[in-house]
Amino acid sequence: MDDRRGQAADALAGRRVLVVEDDPFISSALEDMLREHGCVIVGAARTVASALHLAASEQIDVALLDVSVGPERVDPVAELLAGRDCPFIFTTGYGRAGLPEAHASRAMIEKPFYADEVIDALRCALRRSAKA
């Protein structure tokens, strides 16, 4: 294990993560990767309704939000998390222009993404949240 991955594992160990992703293959890969880095998956939502339920009822340290969840947009989930001061990162294949207008300056990872990008983005989001 290289030092950078070790640092990522330390920073993420025990962190409670919400994954909102409608593609079962991407969701499963994200969950596996996050668990490898010591994260606790509080839920993997494939619908906006499920994501809203989890975001409202679970303790979440950070979330990964696919901008388009099936035919719906993730905007209400982003609003709920922002209201709880919970950091989140958008994942999208549509670029920054596809982000919810109210959150256009938030962190984003463009699909297809690499594991290191996701881990680095999570670490940055948690670091920024800790400073706030």
Side-chain angles (χ1 to χ4, degrees):
M1 180 184 305
D2 69 34
D3 289 337
R4 200 168 93 178
R5 183 174 169 141
Q7 291 172 356
D10 292 343
L12 296 175
R15 296 298 189 145
R16 299 174 56 82
V17 182
L18 171 64
V19 176
V20 181
E21 171 59 61
D22 61 336
D23 183 302
F25 298 108
I26 295 173
S27 179
S28 179
L30 284 169
E31 291 173 64
D32 289 347
M33 177 196 56
L34 293 169
R35 284 188 187 103
E36 286 176 15
H37 283 82
C39 295
V40 175
I41 308 301
V42 297
R46 294 198 176 126
T47 66
V48 169
S50 175
L52 284 169
H53 173 74
L54 288 165
S57 62
E58 295 289 333
Q59 178 189 342
I60 300 167
D61 294 317
V62 66
L64 288 169
L65 307 179
D66 185 7
V67 172
S68 297
V69 184
E72 300 179 277
R73 291 189 42 91
V74 78
D75 302 36
V77 181
E79 290 298 322
L80 179 59
L81 292 171
R84 292 182 63 189
D85 291 324
C86 178
F88 56 89
I89 300 155
F90 290 112
T91 62
T92 182
Y94 303 106
R96 191 157 290 282
L99 298 184
E101 191 174 319
H103 301 286
S105 63
R106 293 270 183 169
M108 176 200 83
I109 305 166
E110 195 155 0
K111 294 178 181 177
F113 44 73
Y114 295 98
D116 286 348
E117 289 177 281
V118 175
I119 295 305
D120 289 346
L122 289 169
R123 290 176 70 208
C124 287
L126 288 166
R127 216 173 16 251
R128 279 192 306 271
S129 176
K131 290 178 183 177

